[in-house]
Short mmCIF file of all heavy atoms in Angstrom, two decimals:
data_model
loop_
_atom_site.label_atom_id
_atom_site.label_comp_id
_atom_site.label_asym_id
_atom_site.label_seq_id
_atom_site.Cartn_x
_atom_site.Cartn_y
_atom_site.Cartn_z
N MET A 6 -109.33 59.66 69.30
CA MET A 6 -109.37 58.85 70.51
C MET A 6 -110.76 58.89 71.13
O MET A 6 -111.39 59.95 71.22
CB MET A 6 -108.36 59.37 71.52
CG MET A 6 -106.92 59.35 71.03
SD MET A 6 -106.33 57.69 70.62
CE MET A 6 -106.49 56.85 72.21
N GLY A 7 -111.22 57.73 71.55
CA GLY A 7 -112.56 57.67 72.11
C GLY A 7 -112.64 56.80 73.35
O GLY A 7 -111.77 55.96 73.59
N TRP A 8 -113.66 57.06 74.12
CA TRP A 8 -114.02 56.22 75.25
C TRP A 8 -115.38 55.59 74.96
O TRP A 8 -116.33 56.30 74.59
CB TRP A 8 -114.09 57.01 76.55
CG TRP A 8 -112.75 57.40 77.09
CD1 TRP A 8 -112.11 58.61 76.93
CD2 TRP A 8 -111.89 56.60 77.89
NE1 TRP A 8 -110.90 58.58 77.57
CE2 TRP A 8 -110.74 57.35 78.17
CE3 TRP A 8 -111.96 55.29 78.39
CZ2 TRP A 8 -109.68 56.87 78.95
CZ3 TRP A 8 -110.92 54.80 79.15
CH2 TRP A 8 -109.79 55.59 79.42
N TYR A 9 -115.45 54.29 75.13
CA TYR A 9 -116.68 53.54 74.97
C TYR A 9 -116.97 52.85 76.30
O TYR A 9 -116.09 52.70 77.14
CB TYR A 9 -116.54 52.48 73.88
CG TYR A 9 -116.46 53.01 72.47
CD1 TYR A 9 -115.35 53.71 72.02
CD2 TYR A 9 -117.51 52.81 71.57
CE1 TYR A 9 -115.27 54.19 70.73
CE2 TYR A 9 -117.45 53.29 70.27
CZ TYR A 9 -116.33 53.97 69.86
OH TYR A 9 -116.26 54.45 68.57
N ARG A 10 -118.21 52.39 76.45
CA ARG A 10 -118.54 51.61 77.63
C ARG A 10 -119.53 50.51 77.27
O ARG A 10 -120.28 50.63 76.31
CB ARG A 10 -119.11 52.49 78.74
CG ARG A 10 -120.44 53.12 78.43
CD ARG A 10 -120.84 54.10 79.55
NE ARG A 10 -122.11 54.76 79.28
CZ ARG A 10 -122.60 55.76 80.02
NH1 ARG A 10 -121.92 56.22 81.06
NH2 ARG A 10 -123.76 56.30 79.71
N GLN A 11 -119.48 49.46 78.07
CA GLN A 11 -120.39 48.35 77.87
C GLN A 11 -120.87 47.85 79.22
O GLN A 11 -120.06 47.39 80.04
CB GLN A 11 -119.72 47.21 77.09
CG GLN A 11 -120.68 46.11 76.70
CD GLN A 11 -120.09 45.17 75.67
OE1 GLN A 11 -118.88 45.10 75.48
NE2 GLN A 11 -120.94 44.42 75.00
N ALA A 12 -122.16 47.97 79.42
CA ALA A 12 -122.79 47.47 80.65
C ALA A 12 -123.24 46.03 80.42
O ALA A 12 -123.45 45.62 79.27
CB ALA A 12 -123.97 48.35 81.02
N PRO A 13 -123.41 45.26 81.48
CA PRO A 13 -123.83 43.87 81.32
C PRO A 13 -125.12 43.76 80.54
O PRO A 13 -126.10 44.47 80.82
CB PRO A 13 -124.02 43.40 82.77
CG PRO A 13 -123.11 44.26 83.56
CD PRO A 13 -123.13 45.60 82.88
N GLY A 14 -125.12 42.91 79.52
CA GLY A 14 -126.31 42.69 78.73
C GLY A 14 -126.62 43.77 77.71
O GLY A 14 -127.66 43.72 77.05
N LYS A 15 -125.73 44.75 77.59
CA LYS A 15 -125.97 45.86 76.66
C LYS A 15 -124.86 45.93 75.62
O LYS A 15 -123.77 45.39 75.81
CB LYS A 15 -126.08 47.18 77.42
CG LYS A 15 -127.28 47.26 78.35
CD LYS A 15 -127.45 48.66 78.91
CE LYS A 15 -128.69 48.76 79.76
NZ LYS A 15 -128.89 50.14 80.29
N LYS A 16 -125.15 46.63 74.55
CA LYS A 16 -124.16 46.82 73.51
C LYS A 16 -123.14 47.87 73.94
O LYS A 16 -123.43 48.75 74.76
CB LYS A 16 -124.84 47.27 72.20
CG LYS A 16 -125.73 46.23 71.56
CD LYS A 16 -126.32 46.76 70.25
CE LYS A 16 -127.18 45.70 69.59
NZ LYS A 16 -127.78 46.20 68.31
N ARG A 17 -121.94 47.76 73.37
CA ARG A 17 -120.94 48.78 73.63
C ARG A 17 -121.39 50.09 72.99
O ARG A 17 -121.85 50.12 71.84
CB ARG A 17 -119.59 48.34 73.06
CG ARG A 17 -118.42 49.20 73.47
CD ARG A 17 -117.10 48.62 73.00
NE ARG A 17 -116.82 47.32 73.60
CZ ARG A 17 -115.66 46.69 73.50
NH1 ARG A 17 -114.67 47.24 72.81
NH2 ARG A 17 -115.49 45.51 74.06
N GLU A 18 -121.26 51.18 73.73
CA GLU A 18 -121.69 52.48 73.22
C GLU A 18 -120.56 53.50 73.33
O GLU A 18 -119.73 53.43 74.26
CB GLU A 18 -122.93 53.01 73.97
CG GLU A 18 -122.69 53.37 75.42
CD GLU A 18 -123.84 54.16 76.04
OE1 GLU A 18 -124.74 54.61 75.32
OE2 GLU A 18 -123.80 54.34 77.28
N LEU A 19 -120.57 54.43 72.39
CA LEU A 19 -119.61 55.52 72.42
C LEU A 19 -120.00 56.49 73.53
O LEU A 19 -121.15 56.91 73.61
CB LEU A 19 -119.58 56.24 71.08
CG LEU A 19 -118.70 57.48 70.99
CD1 LEU A 19 -117.24 57.12 71.16
CD2 LEU A 19 -118.94 58.20 69.68
N VAL A 20 -119.04 56.85 74.36
CA VAL A 20 -119.27 57.82 75.44
C VAL A 20 -118.77 59.20 75.01
O VAL A 20 -119.50 60.19 75.14
CB VAL A 20 -118.55 57.38 76.72
CG1 VAL A 20 -118.71 58.43 77.81
CG2 VAL A 20 -119.08 56.02 77.19
N ALA A 21 -117.54 59.26 74.54
CA ALA A 21 -116.94 60.54 74.16
C ALA A 21 -115.83 60.28 73.17
O ALA A 21 -115.18 59.23 73.21
CB ALA A 21 -116.39 61.28 75.38
N VAL A 22 -115.62 61.24 72.29
CA VAL A 22 -114.55 61.13 71.31
C VAL A 22 -113.88 62.48 71.14
O VAL A 22 -114.55 63.52 71.20
CB VAL A 22 -115.07 60.60 69.97
CG1 VAL A 22 -116.10 61.53 69.36
CG2 VAL A 22 -113.94 60.34 69.00
N ILE A 23 -112.56 62.45 70.99
CA ILE A 23 -111.81 63.67 70.69
C ILE A 23 -110.98 63.38 69.44
O ILE A 23 -110.21 62.41 69.40
CB ILE A 23 -110.96 64.11 71.89
CG1 ILE A 23 -110.21 65.42 71.57
CG2 ILE A 23 -110.00 63.03 72.37
CD1 ILE A 23 -109.61 66.09 72.81
N SER A 24 -111.16 64.22 68.45
CA SER A 24 -110.47 63.97 67.19
C SER A 24 -109.01 64.40 67.26
O SER A 24 -108.57 65.03 68.24
CB SER A 24 -111.18 64.73 66.06
OG SER A 24 -110.87 66.11 66.15
N ASN A 25 -108.28 64.09 66.20
CA ASN A 25 -106.88 64.49 66.16
C ASN A 25 -106.72 66.00 66.08
O ASN A 25 -105.65 66.54 66.38
CB ASN A 25 -106.13 63.80 65.02
CG ASN A 25 -106.81 63.98 63.68
OD1 ASN A 25 -107.65 64.84 63.50
ND2 ASN A 25 -106.45 63.12 62.73
N SER A 26 -107.79 66.70 65.71
CA SER A 26 -107.75 68.16 65.67
C SER A 26 -108.34 68.79 66.92
O SER A 26 -108.39 70.02 67.03
CB SER A 26 -108.49 68.67 64.43
OG SER A 26 -109.86 68.35 64.51
N GLY A 27 -108.84 67.95 67.82
CA GLY A 27 -109.37 68.47 69.08
C GLY A 27 -110.88 68.62 69.14
O GLY A 27 -111.42 69.07 70.16
N SER A 28 -111.58 68.26 68.09
CA SER A 28 -113.04 68.31 68.13
C SER A 28 -113.55 67.24 69.08
O SER A 28 -113.03 66.14 69.13
CB SER A 28 -113.61 68.08 66.74
OG SER A 28 -113.20 69.09 65.86
N ILE A 29 -114.61 67.58 69.80
CA ILE A 29 -115.11 66.71 70.86
C ILE A 29 -116.61 66.47 70.69
O ILE A 29 -117.36 67.39 70.34
CB ILE A 29 -114.85 67.33 72.25
CG1 ILE A 29 -113.34 67.31 72.55
CG2 ILE A 29 -115.62 66.61 73.33
CD1 ILE A 29 -112.97 68.06 73.81
N ASN A 30 -117.01 65.24 70.95
CA ASN A 30 -118.43 64.90 70.98
C ASN A 30 -118.70 63.95 72.14
O ASN A 30 -117.85 63.14 72.50
CB ASN A 30 -118.86 64.25 69.67
CG ASN A 30 -119.09 65.26 68.57
OD1 ASN A 30 -120.04 66.02 68.60
ND2 ASN A 30 -118.18 65.28 67.61
N TYR A 31 -119.90 64.09 72.70
CA TYR A 31 -120.33 63.25 73.82
C TYR A 31 -121.68 62.63 73.52
O TYR A 31 -122.52 63.23 72.82
CB TYR A 31 -120.48 64.07 75.10
CG TYR A 31 -119.23 64.75 75.59
CD1 TYR A 31 -118.99 66.10 75.30
CD2 TYR A 31 -118.29 64.06 76.34
CE1 TYR A 31 -117.84 66.72 75.75
CE2 TYR A 31 -117.14 64.68 76.80
CZ TYR A 31 -116.92 66.02 76.50
OH TYR A 31 -115.78 66.64 76.95
N VAL A 32 -121.92 61.46 74.09
CA VAL A 32 -123.27 60.92 74.08
C VAL A 32 -124.12 61.81 74.99
O VAL A 32 -123.62 62.36 75.98
CB VAL A 32 -123.27 59.44 74.54
CG1 VAL A 32 -122.88 59.32 76.00
CG2 VAL A 32 -124.60 58.80 74.26
N ASP A 33 -125.38 61.96 74.67
CA ASP A 33 -126.23 62.90 75.40
C ASP A 33 -126.26 62.62 76.90
O ASP A 33 -126.32 63.54 77.71
CB ASP A 33 -127.65 62.87 74.84
CG ASP A 33 -127.77 63.57 73.50
OD1 ASP A 33 -126.84 64.30 73.12
OD2 ASP A 33 -128.81 63.40 72.83
N SER A 34 -126.23 61.36 77.27
CA SER A 34 -126.40 60.99 78.68
C SER A 34 -125.26 61.45 79.58
O SER A 34 -125.41 61.44 80.80
CB SER A 34 -126.58 59.48 78.81
OG SER A 34 -125.45 58.80 78.30
N VAL A 35 -124.12 61.85 79.01
CA VAL A 35 -122.99 62.27 79.84
C VAL A 35 -122.64 63.74 79.65
O VAL A 35 -121.73 64.25 80.33
CB VAL A 35 -121.73 61.40 79.58
CG1 VAL A 35 -122.06 59.92 79.70
CG2 VAL A 35 -121.11 61.72 78.23
N LYS A 36 -123.33 64.42 78.76
CA LYS A 36 -123.04 65.84 78.52
C LYS A 36 -123.20 66.64 79.81
O LYS A 36 -124.19 66.48 80.53
CB LYS A 36 -123.95 66.39 77.43
CG LYS A 36 -123.57 65.93 76.04
CD LYS A 36 -124.52 66.52 74.99
CE LYS A 36 -124.12 66.07 73.59
NZ LYS A 36 -125.06 66.55 72.55
N GLY A 37 -122.22 67.48 80.08
CA GLY A 37 -122.25 68.29 81.29
C GLY A 37 -121.67 67.60 82.50
O GLY A 37 -121.46 68.23 83.54
N ARG A 38 -121.40 66.30 82.40
CA ARG A 38 -120.84 65.55 83.54
C ARG A 38 -119.45 64.99 83.23
O ARG A 38 -118.61 64.92 84.12
CB ARG A 38 -121.77 64.39 83.91
CG ARG A 38 -123.17 64.82 84.30
CD ARG A 38 -123.98 63.64 84.86
NE ARG A 38 -124.18 62.58 83.88
CZ ARG A 38 -123.79 61.31 84.05
NH1 ARG A 38 -123.16 60.95 85.16
NH2 ARG A 38 -124.02 60.40 83.11
N PHE A 39 -119.22 64.58 82.00
CA PHE A 39 -117.95 63.98 81.60
C PHE A 39 -117.16 64.94 80.72
O PHE A 39 -117.75 65.70 79.94
CB PHE A 39 -118.17 62.69 80.82
CG PHE A 39 -118.72 61.53 81.61
CD1 PHE A 39 -119.20 61.68 82.90
CD2 PHE A 39 -118.75 60.26 81.04
CE1 PHE A 39 -119.71 60.62 83.61
CE2 PHE A 39 -119.24 59.18 81.74
CZ PHE A 39 -119.73 59.36 83.03
N THR A 40 -115.85 64.87 80.83
CA THR A 40 -114.97 65.68 79.99
C THR A 40 -113.84 64.81 79.45
O THR A 40 -113.15 64.16 80.22
CB THR A 40 -114.37 66.85 80.79
OG1 THR A 40 -115.41 67.65 81.34
CG2 THR A 40 -113.49 67.72 79.89
N ILE A 41 -113.69 64.82 78.14
CA ILE A 41 -112.60 64.10 77.50
C ILE A 41 -111.50 65.10 77.16
O ILE A 41 -111.78 66.25 76.79
CB ILE A 41 -113.08 63.34 76.24
CG1 ILE A 41 -111.98 62.40 75.72
CG2 ILE A 41 -113.55 64.30 75.16
CD1 ILE A 41 -112.47 61.46 74.62
N ALA A 42 -110.26 64.65 77.31
CA ALA A 42 -109.11 65.49 76.98
C ALA A 42 -107.96 64.60 76.54
O ALA A 42 -107.94 63.41 76.87
CB ALA A 42 -108.71 66.34 78.19
N ARG A 43 -107.05 65.19 75.80
CA ARG A 43 -105.89 64.42 75.36
C ARG A 43 -104.62 65.24 75.59
O ARG A 43 -104.65 66.47 75.53
CB ARG A 43 -106.01 64.03 73.88
CG ARG A 43 -106.01 65.17 72.89
CD ARG A 43 -106.36 64.68 71.47
NE ARG A 43 -105.37 63.74 70.96
CZ ARG A 43 -105.61 62.89 69.95
NH1 ARG A 43 -106.80 62.89 69.36
NH2 ARG A 43 -104.66 62.08 69.55
N ASP A 44 -103.54 64.52 75.82
CA ASP A 44 -102.22 65.13 75.96
C ASP A 44 -101.31 64.41 74.97
O ASP A 44 -100.85 63.30 75.24
CB ASP A 44 -101.72 64.97 77.39
CG ASP A 44 -100.40 65.70 77.65
OD1 ASP A 44 -99.67 65.95 76.67
OD2 ASP A 44 -100.10 66.00 78.81
N ASN A 45 -101.08 65.04 73.84
CA ASN A 45 -100.29 64.39 72.79
C ASN A 45 -98.83 64.20 73.22
O ASN A 45 -98.16 63.28 72.75
CB ASN A 45 -100.35 65.20 71.51
CG ASN A 45 -101.72 65.10 70.83
OD1 ASN A 45 -102.52 64.20 71.12
ND2 ASN A 45 -102.00 66.04 69.95
N ALA A 46 -98.35 65.04 74.11
CA ALA A 46 -96.97 64.90 74.58
C ALA A 46 -96.80 63.64 75.44
O ALA A 46 -95.71 63.07 75.51
CB ALA A 46 -96.55 66.13 75.38
#
């Protein structure tokens, strides 16, 4: 599962992703500010 964003006039970019096993990655610009989480239930 991932979150992407698209600003006016810009390409859609990946913000954060959490894998089915729980691995997480963030784009550098949001590290330390954004947190992705999932609730499978």
